Every structure is written in C-alpha cells, then in structure tokens.
Amino acid sequence: MNKIIRNIVCVLLFFVCCGLVYAIYSSIMQPVNFNKEKDYREEIAVQRLKDIRTLQVAYKGVHNRFVSTVDSLKEFYNNGEMSIIMQVGSNDDSVAVAHTEAIKKANRKITSADLLKLYQSGDKNLVFSVETKVPVRDTLFNGRNDFCIDSLKYIPFSGKQPVEMEAIIKQVSGVPVPLFEAKMPYKKLLKGLDNQLRINLDAERRNQNKYEGLQVGSISAPNNNAGNWE
C-alpha cells in the first residue's frame, strides 16, 4: 500500500514540477512574444502612416493645406490630379539643344506646351521641360503591391478602428502654417495582446513624455511631418 501511495505521490510531484517549469517558461516568454508581435504590428502600422504622409504632402502641394480625414485622401487618390515637371531630351545633347534654340529664336513666343506639341507630332530632337498634370493614382505608390487605399483608414489589428487624424492651420511666428497629425494608439494597435504588458508600455511612454503609440506629424508644433519612430 505504501508503495502505491509512494508511486502516486511521485506522479503528482512530476506533474507539479512540469507545471512549475511551464509556468516559469511562460512568464519568461510572455514579454518576449509580446514584443515580437508588437514589432510586427508596428512595422505594418508605420508603413500605413508613411502612406498617409505621402498623400497628405501631395494634397498640400495641390491645395496648400492638409485634410483631417482619410476619406478625403482617398478621394484625392482616386480622382485627384497633381503637377509634375516632365523633362524631354537631354541638355548634354548639343545637337538637340541647338535645334531647340533655333526654334525659340524663330518664334520668341513659343512655350513649353508648344514644344511638347511639336515633340508629340514627331520632332524628337528637342530639349525642354514642361509642367503637366497627371492622375494621382498613376503617380503615387506605383509598383507597391502591398498598397491598398481602402485599408489606409484603419489602424491595423484593431478591428477596423479608424486612424486618429487632425489638420489645422497654425500661426507660427506670424505665418500661417498647415499642420497635420495621424495617430495609432497602442491601446488599439496592440488589441488582443497581453493587456497588462500594454498598460506597462503606455506608462513607460508617458514617463518618457512620449505618445503612447505611433504618430506622424504634429498639430502642436511643426516637425516637418516626422514620425515618432524616426
């Protein structure tokens, strides 16, 4: 009987030891796994904020201001136009340069638009630059298979929580300066991860006077549209 009890105790002790080992391992790996997943989510979120910044800067180049909603950026991307400087020919091509100058001397009122028409009609021996308008969607993010304008509005992994964005015009040294900021708080970006570790992360950021999440731009002070990860 004593032998049976001894065997039972040994088995129980074995399982208790296994449980303790697993608990210790889990306590060690929990922050490791949290940080690994945090880094992964941040990588995706940072790219999304960079894309928002790219569209905001392009929008400002056209309208001289930023916008406060991603829906406005989506409309700009789908239907807007932006100006680009198109260079035709090379200034190193002395024959083309001389030919172009001869045309300009013969008609001093000729414009870059007129030269473009000549070029399009068949005169390829020209050197000039011309400003032209192109659709935004044909200019930005070309070749980016991971870009999706419909996803830009949402904080990744948040269950479609919207990006927090504002845009204002602020007087800086007496000069009106357009400013914007876009934010993804960790509370939403790290949704579903260990809540206590996320709370600890937020507290650490606050103690360092840093935003508890990812942010690009600032409406409180000009920062050249920098991201807080840069």
Side-chain angles (χ1 to χ4, degrees):
M1 188 70 175
N2 290 337
K3 186 176 180 181
I4 294 174
I5 294 174
R6 208 166 37 244
N7 290 338
I8 292 173
V9 170
C10 289
V11 171
L12 290 175
L13 286 174
F14 172 78
F15 282 110
V16 168
C17 289
C18 289
L20 288 173
V21 170
Y22 177 78
I24 294 170
Y25 175 80
S26 296
S27 67
I28 294 173
M29 292 305 297
Q30 194 170 20
V32 172
N33 292 332
F34 175 86
N35 287 326
K36 183 178 179 180
E37 179 66 18
K38 168 183 164 290
D39 292 343
Y40 170 69
R41 294 189 182 193
E42 281 187 330
E43 183 180 354
I44 295 173
V46 163
Q47 185 59 62
R48 198 162 294 185
L49 288 173
K50 286 181 177 179
D51 292 344
I52 287 174
R53 176 172 60 188
T54 296
L55 279 168
Q56 283 278 28
V57 171
Y59 186 95
K60 178 177 176 288
V62 176
H63 300 286
N64 202 34
R65 62 184 176 87
F66 295 118
V67 292
S68 58
T69 67
V70 180
D71 286 336
S72 297
L73 293 179
K74 180 180 177 180
E75 171 66 21
F76 175 66
Y77 175 78
N78 285 329
N79 303 307
E81 291 183 327
M82 56 191 298
S83 297
I84 63 168
I85 302 298
M86 183 174 69
Q87 177 65 38
V88 177
S90 171
N91 288 315
D92 295 331
D93 187 341
S94 58
V95 174
V97 170
H99 176 62
T100 305
E101 289 301 318
I103 293 175
K104 289 181 178 179
K105 285 181 181 180
N107 183 1
R108 296 191 178 277
K109 292 184 178 182
I110 197 168
T111 65
S112 295
D114 296 327
L115 289 173
L116 179 61
K117 290 178 181 178
L118 285 175
Y119 180 83
Q120 292 172 336
S121 65
D123 190 349
K124 305 300 182 183
N125 201 27
L126 294 169
V127 178
F128 64 95
S129 60
V130 61
E131 182 176 323
T132 184
K133 290 188 178 295
V134 294
V136 175
R137 66 181 306 139
D138 292 343
T139 307
L140 299 181
F141 312 116
N142 279 344
R144 276 274 308 280
N145 294 327
D146 64 333
F147 177 76
C148 176
I149 189 63
D150 293 323
S151 299
L152 207 62
K153 181 178 181 178
Y154 304 110
I155 299 171
F157 308 100
S158 70
K160 289 198 170 182
Q161 292 291 314
V163 174
E164 300 173 6
M165 193 160 75
E166 293 184 68
I168 64 170
I169 295 180
K170 183 175 183 177
Q171 293 291 325
V172 180
S173 300
V175 178
V177 178
L179 301 172
F180 89 96
E181 66 183 25
K183 294 180 175 181
M184 295 184 182
Y186 281 139
K187 186 175 182 179
K188 297 178 180 179
L189 178 62
L190 303 182
K191 182 179 179 181
L193 301 186
D194 188 281
N195 194 51
Q196 187 57 55
L197 291 177
R198 197 271 306 163
I199 291 173
N200 295 344
L201 175 62
D202 283 350
E204 180 183 343
R205 300 283 290 187
R206 283 194 300 272
N207 291 337
Q208 297 172 346
N209 292 319
K210 295 180 179 179
Y211 173 64
E212 304 102 78
L214 297 176
Q215 175 179 345
V216 63
S218 173
I219 61 171
S220 60
N223 67 353
N224 200 29
N225 307 323
N228 65 350
W229 62 87
E230 296 174 318

Short mmCIF file of all heavy atoms in Angstrom, two decimals, residues 58-121:
data_model
loop_
_atom_site.label_atom_id
_atom_site.label_comp_id
_atom_site.label_asym_id
_atom_site.label_seq_id
_atom_site.Cartn_x
_atom_site.Cartn_y
_atom_site.Cartn_z
N ALA A 58 1.31 65.34 -50.85
CA ALA A 58 0.87 65.54 -52.24
C ALA A 58 -0.38 66.42 -52.29
O ALA A 58 -0.49 67.30 -53.15
CB ALA A 58 0.60 64.18 -52.90
N TYR A 59 -1.29 66.19 -51.36
CA TYR A 59 -2.52 67.00 -51.31
C TYR A 59 -2.18 68.46 -51.02
O TYR A 59 -2.72 69.37 -51.65
CB TYR A 59 -3.46 66.45 -50.24
CG TYR A 59 -4.82 67.12 -50.21
CD1 TYR A 59 -5.90 66.57 -50.89
CD2 TYR A 59 -5.03 68.31 -49.51
CE1 TYR A 59 -7.14 67.18 -50.88
CE2 TYR A 59 -6.26 68.93 -49.50
CZ TYR A 59 -7.32 68.36 -50.18
OH TYR A 59 -8.55 68.98 -50.17
N LYS A 60 -1.29 68.69 -50.09
CA LYS A 60 -0.88 70.05 -49.75
C LYS A 60 -0.21 70.73 -50.95
O LYS A 60 -0.36 71.93 -51.17
CB LYS A 60 0.07 70.03 -48.56
CG LYS A 60 0.59 71.41 -48.16
CD LYS A 60 1.46 71.30 -46.93
CE LYS A 60 2.08 72.65 -46.58
NZ LYS A 60 3.13 73.06 -47.53
N GLY A 61 0.54 69.96 -51.73
CA GLY A 61 1.19 70.52 -52.91
C GLY A 61 0.19 71.05 -53.93
O GLY A 61 0.49 71.97 -54.67
N VAL A 62 -1.00 70.48 -53.92
CA VAL A 62 -2.05 70.91 -54.86
C VAL A 62 -2.95 71.97 -54.24
O VAL A 62 -3.29 72.97 -54.88
CB VAL A 62 -2.90 69.69 -55.31
CG1 VAL A 62 -4.06 70.14 -56.19
CG2 VAL A 62 -2.03 68.68 -56.06
N HIS A 63 -3.32 71.77 -52.97
CA HIS A 63 -4.35 72.63 -52.34
C HIS A 63 -3.81 73.56 -51.25
O HIS A 63 -4.57 74.33 -50.67
CB HIS A 63 -5.45 71.75 -51.75
CG HIS A 63 -6.14 70.88 -52.76
ND1 HIS A 63 -7.05 71.38 -53.67
CD2 HIS A 63 -6.05 69.55 -53.01
CE1 HIS A 63 -7.50 70.39 -54.43
NE2 HIS A 63 -6.91 69.27 -54.05
N ASN A 64 -2.52 73.46 -50.97
CA ASN A 64 -1.87 74.33 -49.97
C ASN A 64 -2.43 74.14 -48.56
O ASN A 64 -2.41 75.06 -47.75
CB ASN A 64 -1.96 75.80 -50.38
CG ASN A 64 -0.88 76.64 -49.71
OD1 ASN A 64 0.24 76.16 -49.48
ND2 ASN A 64 -1.19 77.87 -49.39
N ARG A 65 -2.93 72.97 -48.26
CA ARG A 65 -3.40 72.64 -46.92
C ARG A 65 -3.47 71.12 -46.79
O ARG A 65 -3.39 70.40 -47.78
CB ARG A 65 -4.79 73.23 -46.66
CG ARG A 65 -5.89 72.71 -47.58
CD ARG A 65 -7.22 73.40 -47.33
NE ARG A 65 -8.24 72.96 -48.27
CZ ARG A 65 -9.02 71.90 -48.10
NH1 ARG A 65 -8.89 71.16 -46.99
NH2 ARG A 65 -9.93 71.56 -48.99
N PHE A 66 -3.58 70.68 -45.54
CA PHE A 66 -3.77 69.26 -45.28
C PHE A 66 -5.25 68.98 -45.04
O PHE A 66 -6.05 69.91 -44.93
CB PHE A 66 -2.96 68.83 -44.05
CG PHE A 66 -1.47 68.94 -44.24
CD1 PHE A 66 -0.71 69.79 -43.44
CD2 PHE A 66 -0.81 68.19 -45.20
CE1 PHE A 66 0.66 69.90 -43.59
CE2 PHE A 66 0.57 68.29 -45.38
CZ PHE A 66 1.30 69.15 -44.56
N VAL A 67 -5.61 67.71 -44.95
CA VAL A 67 -7.00 67.33 -44.69
C VAL A 67 -7.07 66.55 -43.39
O VAL A 67 -6.07 65.97 -42.93
CB VAL A 67 -7.60 66.49 -45.84
CG1 VAL A 67 -7.77 67.34 -47.08
CG2 VAL A 67 -6.72 65.27 -46.15
N SER A 68 -8.26 66.53 -42.78
CA SER A 68 -8.41 65.92 -41.46
C SER A 68 -9.00 64.52 -41.51
O SER A 68 -9.15 63.89 -40.46
CB SER A 68 -9.30 66.81 -40.58
OG SER A 68 -10.57 67.00 -41.19
N THR A 69 -9.34 64.02 -42.70
CA THR A 69 -9.91 62.67 -42.79
C THR A 69 -9.20 61.87 -43.88
O THR A 69 -8.79 62.41 -44.91
CB THR A 69 -11.42 62.71 -43.13
OG1 THR A 69 -11.61 63.22 -44.46
CG2 THR A 69 -12.17 63.60 -42.14
N VAL A 70 -9.11 60.57 -43.63
CA VAL A 70 -8.52 59.68 -44.63
C VAL A 70 -9.45 59.54 -45.83
O VAL A 70 -9.00 59.30 -46.96
CB VAL A 70 -8.20 58.31 -44.01
CG1 VAL A 70 -7.57 57.37 -45.06
CG2 VAL A 70 -7.23 58.46 -42.85
N ASP A 71 -10.75 59.72 -45.61
CA ASP A 71 -11.70 59.67 -46.74
C ASP A 71 -11.37 60.75 -47.77
O ASP A 71 -11.50 60.52 -48.98
CB ASP A 71 -13.13 59.85 -46.23
CG ASP A 71 -13.66 58.61 -45.53
OD1 ASP A 71 -13.15 57.50 -45.82
OD2 ASP A 71 -14.56 58.74 -44.68
N SER A 72 -10.95 61.93 -47.30
CA SER A 72 -10.56 63.00 -48.22
C SER A 72 -9.31 62.62 -49.00
O SER A 72 -9.19 62.92 -50.19
CB SER A 72 -10.32 64.30 -47.45
OG SER A 72 -11.51 64.75 -46.82
N LEU A 73 -8.39 61.94 -48.33
CA LEU A 73 -7.18 61.47 -49.02
C LEU A 73 -7.53 60.39 -50.05
O LEU A 73 -6.95 60.34 -51.13
CB LEU A 73 -6.18 60.91 -48.01
CG LEU A 73 -5.54 61.90 -47.04
CD1 LEU A 73 -4.59 61.17 -46.09
CD2 LEU A 73 -4.80 63.01 -47.79
N LYS A 74 -8.49 59.55 -49.71
CA LYS A 74 -8.93 58.51 -50.65
C LYS A 74 -9.54 59.14 -51.89
O LYS A 74 -9.27 58.71 -53.03
CB LYS A 74 -9.95 57.59 -49.97
CG LYS A 74 -10.47 56.48 -50.87
CD LYS A 74 -11.46 55.59 -50.12
CE LYS A 74 -12.04 54.52 -51.03
NZ LYS A 74 -13.01 53.65 -50.31
N GLU A 75 -10.37 60.17 -51.71
CA GLU A 75 -10.97 60.88 -52.84
C GLU A 75 -9.88 61.52 -53.70
O GLU A 75 -9.94 61.48 -54.93
CB GLU A 75 -11.95 61.93 -52.32
CG GLU A 75 -12.49 62.88 -53.37
CD GLU A 75 -13.38 62.21 -54.40
OE1 GLU A 75 -13.91 61.12 -54.11
OE2 GLU A 75 -13.54 62.79 -55.50
N PHE A 76 -8.90 62.11 -53.05
CA PHE A 76 -7.78 62.74 -53.77
C PHE A 76 -7.00 61.69 -54.57
O PHE A 76 -6.64 61.92 -55.73
CB PHE A 76 -6.87 63.44 -52.77
CG PHE A 76 -5.61 64.02 -53.35
CD1 PHE A 76 -5.66 65.07 -54.25
CD2 PHE A 76 -4.37 63.53 -52.98
CE1 PHE A 76 -4.50 65.62 -54.79
CE2 PHE A 76 -3.20 64.06 -53.51
CZ PHE A 76 -3.27 65.11 -54.41
N TYR A 77 -6.76 60.54 -53.96
CA TYR A 77 -6.01 59.48 -54.64
C TYR A 77 -6.79 58.94 -55.85
O TYR A 77 -6.22 58.73 -56.92
CB TYR A 77 -5.72 58.35 -53.67
CG TYR A 77 -5.05 57.15 -54.29
CD1 TYR A 77 -3.70 57.16 -54.60
CD2 TYR A 77 -5.79 56.00 -54.61
CE1 TYR A 77 -3.09 56.06 -55.19
CE2 TYR A 77 -5.19 54.90 -55.19
CZ TYR A 77 -3.84 54.95 -55.49
OH TYR A 77 -3.24 53.85 -56.08
N ASN A 78 -8.08 58.74 -55.67
CA ASN A 78 -8.88 58.12 -56.74
C ASN A 78 -9.19 59.09 -57.88
O ASN A 78 -9.26 58.67 -59.05
CB ASN A 78 -10.19 57.57 -56.18
CG ASN A 78 -9.98 56.29 -55.39
OD1 ASN A 78 -9.08 55.51 -55.68
ND2 ASN A 78 -10.80 56.07 -54.37
N ASN A 79 -9.42 60.36 -57.56
CA ASN A 79 -9.93 61.29 -58.58
C ASN A 79 -9.08 62.55 -58.77
O ASN A 79 -9.38 63.35 -59.67
CB ASN A 79 -11.36 61.71 -58.21
CG ASN A 79 -12.29 60.51 -58.09
OD1 ASN A 79 -12.38 59.69 -58.98
ND2 ASN A 79 -12.97 60.40 -56.95
N GLY A 80 -8.08 62.77 -57.93
CA GLY A 80 -7.31 64.00 -58.00
C GLY A 80 -6.20 63.96 -59.04
O GLY A 80 -5.85 62.91 -59.59
N GLU A 81 -5.65 65.15 -59.31
CA GLU A 81 -4.51 65.29 -60.21
C GLU A 81 -3.42 66.08 -59.51
O GLU A 81 -3.69 66.87 -58.61
CB GLU A 81 -4.90 66.02 -61.50
CG GLU A 81 -5.83 65.24 -62.42
CD GLU A 81 -6.11 66.00 -63.71
OE1 GLU A 81 -6.16 67.25 -63.67
OE2 GLU A 81 -6.29 65.33 -64.74
N MET A 82 -2.18 65.86 -59.92
CA MET A 82 -1.06 66.62 -59.39
C MET A 82 -0.12 66.99 -60.52
O MET A 82 -0.08 66.32 -61.57
CB MET A 82 -0.33 65.82 -58.31
CG MET A 82 0.16 64.46 -58.75
SD MET A 82 0.72 63.43 -57.35
CE MET A 82 2.09 64.41 -56.72
N SER A 83 0.60 68.08 -60.31
CA SER A 83 1.51 68.57 -61.35
C SER A 83 2.88 67.93 -61.19
O SER A 83 3.38 67.77 -60.08
CB SER A 83 1.64 70.09 -61.26
OG SER A 83 0.40 70.72 -61.50
N ILE A 84 3.48 67.58 -62.31
CA ILE A 84 4.86 67.10 -62.31
C ILE A 84 5.62 67.82 -63.43
O ILE A 84 5.03 68.31 -64.39
CB ILE A 84 4.95 65.57 -62.53
CG1 ILE A 84 4.40 65.19 -63.92
CG2 ILE A 84 4.22 64.81 -61.44
CD1 ILE A 84 4.71 63.76 -64.31
N ILE A 85 6.92 67.94 -63.26
CA ILE A 85 7.77 68.54 -64.29
C ILE A 85 8.34 67.41 -65.15
O ILE A 85 9.07 66.55 -64.65
CB ILE A 85 8.90 69.36 -63.67
CG1 ILE A 85 8.34 70.46 -62.77
CG2 ILE A 85 9.77 69.96 -64.77
CD1 ILE A 85 7.47 71.46 -63.48
N MET A 86 7.98 67.41 -66.41
CA MET A 86 8.45 66.37 -67.32
C MET A 86 9.63 66.91 -68.12
O MET A 86 9.54 67.96 -68.76
CB MET A 86 7.33 65.94 -68.26
CG MET A 86 7.72 64.81 -69.20
SD MET A 86 6.31 64.19 -70.17
CE MET A 86 5.99 65.60 -71.24
N GLN A 87 10.75 66.21 -68.07
CA GLN A 87 11.94 66.60 -68.82
C GLN A 87 11.99 65.81 -70.12
O GLN A 87 11.94 64.58 -70.11
CB GLN A 87 13.21 66.34 -68.00
CG GLN A 87 14.50 66.65 -68.73
CD GLN A 87 14.66 68.12 -69.08
OE1 GLN A 87 14.29 68.98 -68.27
NE2 GLN A 87 15.20 68.42 -70.25
N VAL A 88 12.08 66.53 -71.21
CA VAL A 88 12.18 65.91 -72.53
C VAL A 88 13.57 66.20 -73.10
O VAL A 88 14.00 67.36 -73.15
CB VAL A 88 11.10 66.44 -73.49
CG1 VAL A 88 11.28 65.82 -74.89
CG2 VAL A 88 9.71 66.13 -72.94
N GLY A 89 14.26 65.17 -73.53
CA GLY A 89 15.59 65.37 -74.07
C GLY A 89 16.63 65.61 -73.00
O GLY A 89 16.32 65.67 -71.81
N SER A 90 17.88 65.77 -73.43
CA SER A 90 19.00 65.96 -72.51
C SER A 90 19.79 67.20 -72.88
O SER A 90 20.07 67.44 -74.07
CB SER A 90 19.92 64.74 -72.52
OG SER A 90 21.11 65.00 -71.80
N ASN A 91 20.15 68.00 -71.88
CA ASN A 91 20.97 69.17 -72.13
C ASN A 91 22.38 68.82 -72.58
O ASN A 91 23.14 69.69 -73.02
CB ASN A 91 21.04 70.04 -70.86
CG ASN A 91 19.71 70.74 -70.58
OD1 ASN A 91 19.09 71.29 -71.49
ND2 ASN A 91 19.27 70.70 -69.33
N ASP A 92 22.75 67.57 -72.45
CA ASP A 92 24.06 67.11 -72.93
C ASP A 92 24.06 66.85 -74.42
O ASP A 92 25.12 66.65 -75.03
CB ASP A 92 24.48 65.84 -72.18
CG ASP A 92 24.70 66.08 -70.69
OD1 ASP A 92 25.09 67.22 -70.33
OD2 ASP A 92 24.49 65.15 -69.89
N ASP A 93 22.87 66.82 -75.00
CA ASP A 93 22.74 66.59 -76.45
C ASP A 93 22.84 67.94 -77.16
O ASP A 93 21.86 68.66 -77.30
CB ASP A 93 21.40 65.92 -76.75
CG ASP A 93 21.27 65.49 -78.20
OD1 ASP A 93 22.02 66.01 -79.06
OD2 ASP A 93 20.39 64.64 -78.48
N SER A 94 24.04 68.30 -77.60
CA SER A 94 24.29 69.63 -78.17
C SER A 94 23.49 69.87 -79.45
O SER A 94 23.04 70.99 -79.71
CB SER A 94 25.78 69.82 -78.44
OG SER A 94 26.26 68.82 -79.32
N VAL A 95 23.27 68.82 -80.22
CA VAL A 95 22.52 68.97 -81.48
C VAL A 95 21.06 69.31 -81.16
O VAL A 95 20.47 70.22 -81.77
CB VAL A 95 22.61 67.68 -82.32
CG1 VAL A 95 21.70 67.79 -83.55
CG2 VAL A 95 24.04 67.42 -82.74
N ALA A 96 20.48 68.59 -80.20
CA ALA A 96 19.10 68.84 -79.82
C ALA A 96 18.93 70.21 -79.18
O ALA A 96 17.95 70.91 -79.42
CB ALA A 96 18.62 67.74 -78.87
N VAL A 97 19.92 70.61 -78.36
CA VAL A 97 19.87 71.93 -77.73
C VAL A 97 19.89 73.02 -78.79
O VAL A 97 19.12 73.98 -78.74
CB VAL A 97 21.04 72.10 -76.73
CG1 VAL A 97 21.13 73.55 -76.27
CG2 VAL A 97 20.87 71.17 -75.53
N ALA A 98 20.80 72.89 -79.78
CA ALA A 98 20.91 73.88 -80.85
C ALA A 98 19.63 73.94 -81.68
O ALA A 98 19.15 75.02 -82.05
CB ALA A 98 22.10 73.55 -81.75
N HIS A 99 19.04 72.78 -81.95
CA HIS A 99 17.80 72.72 -82.72
C HIS A 99 16.66 73.41 -81.96
O HIS A 99 15.88 74.17 -82.55
CB HIS A 99 17.45 71.25 -82.98
CG HIS A 99 16.14 71.06 -83.67
ND1 HIS A 99 15.87 71.56 -84.94
CD2 HIS A 99 14.99 70.43 -83.28
CE1 HIS A 99 14.63 71.25 -85.29
NE2 HIS A 99 14.08 70.55 -84.29
N THR A 100 16.60 73.16 -80.64
CA THR A 100 15.55 73.78 -79.82
C THR A 100 15.72 75.29 -79.76
O THR A 100 14.74 76.05 -79.87
CB THR A 100 15.57 73.20 -78.39
OG1 THR A 100 15.47 71.78 -78.46
CG2 THR A 100 14.43 73.75 -77.56
N GLU A 101 16.95 75.75 -79.61
CA GLU A 101 17.22 77.20 -79.54
C GLU A 101 16.87 77.88 -80.86
O GLU A 101 16.37 79.02 -80.87
CB GLU A 101 18.69 77.45 -79.20
CG GLU A 101 19.06 77.09 -77.76
CD GLU A 101 18.23 77.87 -76.76
OE1 GLU A 101 18.01 79.08 -76.97
OE2 GLU A 101 17.79 77.26 -75.76
N ALA A 102 17.10 77.19 -81.96
CA ALA A 102 16.77 77.75 -83.27
C ALA A 102 15.26 77.94 -83.40
O ALA A 102 14.79 78.96 -83.94
CB ALA A 102 17.29 76.84 -84.38
N ILE A 103 14.50 76.98 -82.91
CA ILE A 103 13.03 77.09 -82.94
C ILE A 103 12.57 78.26 -82.07
O ILE A 103 11.69 79.03 -82.46
CB ILE A 103 12.39 75.77 -82.47
CG1 ILE A 103 12.67 74.66 -83.48
CG2 ILE A 103 10.88 75.94 -82.26
CD1 ILE A 103 12.18 73.30 -83.04
N LYS A 104 13.19 78.41 -80.89
CA LYS A 104 12.81 79.50 -79.99
C LYS A 104 13.13 80.86 -80.58
O LYS A 104 12.37 81.83 -80.41
CB LYS A 104 13.53 79.34 -78.64
CG LYS A 104 13.02 78.18 -77.80
CD LYS A 104 13.78 78.10 -76.49
CE LYS A 104 13.26 76.98 -75.60
NZ LYS A 104 14.01 76.88 -74.32
N LYS A 105 14.26 80.99 -81.30
CA LYS A 105 14.63 82.25 -81.94
C LYS A 105 13.68 82.60 -83.07
O LYS A 105 13.35 83.76 -83.29
CB LYS A 105 16.07 82.18 -82.46
CG LYS A 105 17.11 82.26 -81.35
CD LYS A 105 18.52 82.21 -81.94
CE LYS A 105 19.57 82.28 -80.82
NZ LYS A 105 20.94 82.22 -81.39
N ALA A 106 13.23 81.56 -83.77
CA ALA A 106 12.32 81.80 -84.88
C ALA A 106 10.93 82.21 -84.39
O ALA A 106 10.20 82.91 -85.09
CB ALA A 106 12.21 80.53 -85.74
N ASN A 107 10.58 81.78 -83.19
CA ASN A 107 9.28 82.13 -82.61
C ASN A 107 9.48 82.40 -81.12
O ASN A 107 9.42 81.50 -80.30
CB ASN A 107 8.27 81.00 -82.83
CG ASN A 107 6.89 81.36 -82.30
OD1 ASN A 107 6.67 82.45 -81.78
ND2 ASN A 107 5.96 80.42 -82.43
N ARG A 108 9.72 83.65 -80.76
CA ARG A 108 10.06 84.01 -79.39
C ARG A 108 8.88 83.83 -78.42
O ARG A 108 9.08 83.86 -77.21
CB ARG A 108 10.58 85.45 -79.33
CG ARG A 108 11.89 85.63 -80.10
CD ARG A 108 12.53 86.97 -79.82
NE ARG A 108 13.79 87.10 -80.51
CZ ARG A 108 14.95 86.63 -80.08
NH1 ARG A 108 14.99 85.97 -78.93
NH2 ARG A 108 16.06 86.80 -80.77
N LYS A 109 7.69 83.66 -78.94
CA LYS A 109 6.52 83.46 -78.07
C LYS A 109 6.22 81.99 -77.83
O LYS A 109 5.24 81.65 -77.17
CB LYS A 109 5.30 84.14 -78.69
CG LYS A 109 5.39 85.67 -78.72
CD LYS A 109 4.10 86.27 -79.25
CE LYS A 109 4.18 87.80 -79.25
NZ LYS A 109 2.91 88.41 -79.74
N ILE A 110 7.06 81.11 -78.36
CA ILE A 110 6.79 79.69 -78.22
C ILE A 110 6.93 79.28 -76.75
O ILE A 110 7.79 79.77 -76.02
CB ILE A 110 7.74 78.85 -79.11
CG1 ILE A 110 7.19 77.43 -79.27
CG2 ILE A 110 9.16 78.82 -78.55
CD1 ILE A 110 7.88 76.63 -80.35
N THR A 111 6.05 78.42 -76.29
CA THR A 111 6.03 77.97 -74.90
C THR A 111 6.44 76.50 -74.81
O THR A 111 6.55 75.80 -75.83
CB THR A 111 4.63 78.14 -74.29
OG1 THR A 111 3.73 77.26 -74.99
CG2 THR A 111 4.15 79.58 -74.40
N SER A 112 6.63 76.06 -73.58
CA SER A 112 6.96 74.65 -73.37
C SER A 112 5.82 73.75 -73.87
O SER A 112 6.06 72.66 -74.39
CB SER A 112 7.22 74.38 -71.89
OG SER A 112 8.37 75.07 -71.45
N ALA A 113 4.59 74.24 -73.70
CA ALA A 113 3.44 73.47 -74.19
C ALA A 113 3.49 73.33 -75.71
O ALA A 113 3.14 72.28 -76.27
CB ALA A 113 2.14 74.13 -73.76
N ASP A 114 3.93 74.41 -76.40
CA ASP A 114 4.07 74.35 -77.86
C ASP A 114 5.16 73.37 -78.26
O ASP A 114 5.01 72.61 -79.24
CB ASP A 114 4.39 75.74 -78.42
CG ASP A 114 3.26 76.73 -78.19
OD1 ASP A 114 2.08 76.31 -78.21
OD2 ASP A 114 3.56 77.92 -77.97
N LEU A 115 6.26 73.39 -77.51
CA LEU A 115 7.35 72.44 -77.80
C LEU A 115 6.88 71.00 -77.58
O LEU A 115 7.27 70.10 -78.33
CB LEU A 115 8.56 72.74 -76.90
CG LEU A 115 9.33 74.03 -77.22
CD1 LEU A 115 10.39 74.29 -76.15
CD2 LEU A 115 9.97 73.95 -78.61
N LEU A 116 6.04 70.80 -76.58
CA LEU A 116 5.51 69.46 -76.34
C LEU A 116 4.66 68.99 -77.51
O LEU A 116 4.73 67.83 -77.93
CB LEU A 116 4.68 69.45 -75.04
CG LEU A 116 4.04 68.11 -74.67
CD1 LEU A 116 5.11 67.05 -74.44
CD2 LEU A 116 3.18 68.25 -73.42
N LYS A 117 3.87 69.91 -78.09
CA LYS A 117 3.06 69.55 -79.24
C LYS A 117 3.95 69.18 -80.43
O LYS A 117 3.66 68.23 -81.16
CB LYS A 117 2.14 70.71 -79.61
CG LYS A 117 1.02 70.95 -78.62
CD LYS A 117 0.16 72.15 -79.01
CE LYS A 117 -0.94 72.41 -77.99
NZ LYS A 117 -1.75 73.61 -78.35
N LEU A 118 5.05 69.94 -80.62
CA LEU A 118 5.99 69.60 -81.69
C LEU A 118 6.60 68.22 -81.46
O LEU A 118 6.74 67.42 -82.40
CB LEU A 118 7.10 70.65 -81.76
CG LEU A 118 6.74 72.02 -82.36
CD1 LEU A 118 7.93 72.97 -82.24
CD2 LEU A 118 6.35 71.87 -83.84
N TYR A 119 6.95 67.97 -80.21
CA TYR A 119 7.55 66.68 -79.86
C TYR A 119 6.56 65.54 -80.14
O TYR A 119 6.93 64.50 -80.71
CB TYR A 119 7.96 66.69 -78.39
CG TYR A 119 8.59 65.41 -77.90
CD1 TYR A 119 9.95 65.16 -78.12
CD2 TYR A 119 7.85 64.45 -77.22
CE1 TYR A 119 10.53 63.99 -77.66
CE2 TYR A 119 8.41 63.28 -76.77
CZ TYR A 119 9.76 63.05 -76.99
OH TYR A 119 10.34 61.89 -76.55
N GLN A 120 5.32 65.75 -79.73
CA GLN A 120 4.30 64.72 -79.93
C GLN A 120 3.93 64.52 -81.40
O GLN A 120 3.48 63.44 -81.79
CB GLN A 120 3.04 65.07 -79.11
CG GLN A 120 3.26 64.99 -77.60
CD GLN A 120 2.09 65.53 -76.80
OE1 GLN A 120 1.31 66.35 -77.31
NE2 GLN A 120 1.95 65.07 -75.56
N SER A 121 4.16 65.57 -82.20
CA SER A 121 3.85 65.47 -83.62
C SER A 121 4.98 64.81 -84.41
O SER A 121 4.82 64.55 -85.61
CB SER A 121 3.55 66.85 -84.20
OG SER A 121 4.70 67.68 -84.15
#
